[in-house]
Amino acid sequence: MPERIDRDGTPAYRFLGVELTRREGAFLVFGVVFLFLIPDIASLSDSLQLSVIHQGLLFGFAAVGLNLLLRHTKLTSFGHAAFFGTGAYATAVLARYAGVQSVGLLLLGAIAAATVMAAIIGVLSLRHTGLYFALLTLAFGQLLYAIALGQSALGGSDGLPIRPGPANQPLLFGTAFSPDVYQILTYYLTVVVILVGLFVMYRITQSPFRNALDAIGQERTRARFIGLPVRRYVWAAFVISGLYGGVAGGLYAVVRQYVRPEGTLFFLRSGDILFMAILGGFRTLVGPLIGGVVLIFLQDVGQDITQYYEFLTGVVLLILVYGFPRGIVGSLRSGGVVNARLSELRREPSILSTWGRSAAQSIERKVTAALTSLRIILFGVD
């Protein structure tokens, strides 16, 4: 039974180690119900495709793992697609060469491969911080991309199918299903895995381990001075982060039943995962997940509207970034920037003109700064 507690003067409830106010509990229930209703909602609308939402959730889940590094250790990884792709390719290799048909076994293989890869890359990368760490993760990610692209056993640029056994598809509960049923069942499997993953990540971020990571992220020298094993803690966080990427990659392979290097290991995919965390709000738990769905949805809608979809997506994302400076979830939650601005607007509607002038001046300053930087790059300093 939920235990009633007091949290900073606000009534809250604790259940299974999760502390929530009534408002947060209501949002949680709504979010879970909404996730499970997505297939029904998608069936009623031609503009909302289940496959797009599903893909966004998978990449968003990888961003949840990256967020552990970004939020607490202040480390930025430009190679997180390495773990996503490792999980995806481990699934494909097991299906093609070992004949593994069970979705559960395929996912276990993806988790094991991604965890080992994260452990190795972590040992080799975490001697450095800042820009050097970011570049090292990028280099390792591109190394894996080159290996997948150049090895015929991994399908080269064509990739590998995941269609094992006589059923020509991975088996759920030991059974082969029709394509439509398989799509829905794998979506529900993804939702369950995401909910479990979010619960585990919540517990991690409420533990002493999180406090140690925060101390390391704020000042490594001080953390080392008080006796924290800095490298060991950061390595553990890196491995956990890679594990989340591997789970997402394994699910991606099972859902798509085909993997290619460009879609799983290319460095632009690492950029997408990083941007999802920032777009959704890297200081929140579910922000990266929301960011993943929004980014994939915008890319899909943009392709249907115009051939210049990348430009259109970029413009929309710029508006979102400027409109939600702490990310979508971070700006919308209680006490966030958007709520504060809405309160100001309700009190004084005329403030819109002030915001308009401020936005115009800000844009003018940034354009001037960009042009100045471009002039210096092209013609040098006067």
Side-chain angles (χ1 to χ4, degrees), residues 214-232:
D214 285 339
I216 293 168
Q218 291 169 11
E219 179 54 61
R220 286 198 169 205
T221 304
R222 184 185 305 158
R224 193 176 290 111
F225 181 76
I226 64 176
L228 289 177
V230 171
R231 189 173 296 173
R232 190 186 310 165

Side-chain angles (χ1 to χ4, degrees), residues 26 37 74 117 136 158 178 232 236 259 272 284 288 292 344 365:
L37 288 178
K74 306 300 187 289
M117 186 62 66
L136 276 172
D158 293 330
S178 66
R232 190 186 310 165
V259 295
D272 285 344
T284 64
E344 291 179 21
R365 286 195 301 270

Side-chain angles (χ1 to χ4, degrees), residues 31-73:
V32 172
V33 171
F34 182 74
L35 281 175
F36 279 101
L37 288 178
I38 285 291
D40 299 306
I41 297 172
S43 66
L44 300 176
S45 172
D46 295 332
S47 59
L48 184 64
Q49 298 182 34
L50 178 61
S51 59
V52 174
I53 302 298
H54 199 168
Q55 185 175 340
L57 288 173
L58 290 173
F59 283 108
F61 190 67
V64 169
L66 174 60
N67 198 42
L68 180 66
L69 287 178
L70 192 63
R71 179 182 181 183
H72 300 292
T73 68

Side-chain angles (χ1 to χ4, degrees), residues 37-194:
L37 288 178
I38 285 291
D40 299 306
I41 297 172
S43 66
L44 300 176
S45 172
D46 295 332
S47 59
L48 184 64
Q49 298 182 34
L50 178 61
S51 59
V52 174
I53 302 298
H54 199 168
Q55 185 175 340
L57 288 173
L58 290 173
F59 283 108
F61 190 67
V64 169
L66 174 60
N67 198 42
L68 180 66
L69 287 178
L70 192 63
R71 179 182 181 183
H72 300 292
T73 68
K74 306 300 187 289
L75 288 174
T76 303
S77 170
F78 288 153
H80 218 64
F83 313 124
F84 185 91
T86 296
Y89 267 92
T91 302
V93 168
L94 286 173
R96 176 154 187 173
Y97 296 110
V100 177
Q101 300 181 61
S102 168
V103 168
L105 292 177
L106 290 173
L107 290 180
L108 286 177
I111 292 170
T115 302
V116 171
M117 186 62 66
I120 295 172
I121 293 178
V123 168
L124 298 174
S125 301
L126 291 171
R127 296 176 181 272
H128 305 276
T129 58
L131 179 62
Y132 295 103
F133 170 79
L135 291 177
L136 276 172
T137 55
L138 175 63
F140 281 117
Q142 283 301 96
L143 176 63
L144 292 180
Y145 170 73
I147 291 173
L149 200 62
Q151 293 294 318
S152 58
L154 298 177
S157 60
D158 293 330
L160 285 176
I162 297 94
R163 295 186 177 277
N168 211 29
Q169 69 170 208
L171 301 182
L172 283 162
F173 313 111
T175 306
F177 295 93
S178 66
D180 290 341
V181 175
Y182 181 82
Q183 182 187 34
I184 294 175
L185 288 178
T186 51
Y187 171 80
Y188 287 137
L189 173 64
T190 297
V191 171
V192 171
V193 170
I194 285 174

Side-chain angles (χ1 to χ4, degrees), residues 50 76 90 95 145 148 229 240 278 302 316 328 339 352:
L50 178 61
T76 303
Y145 170 73
I240 293 171
I278 297 172
V316 174
I328 296 172
N339 278 336
L352 273 176

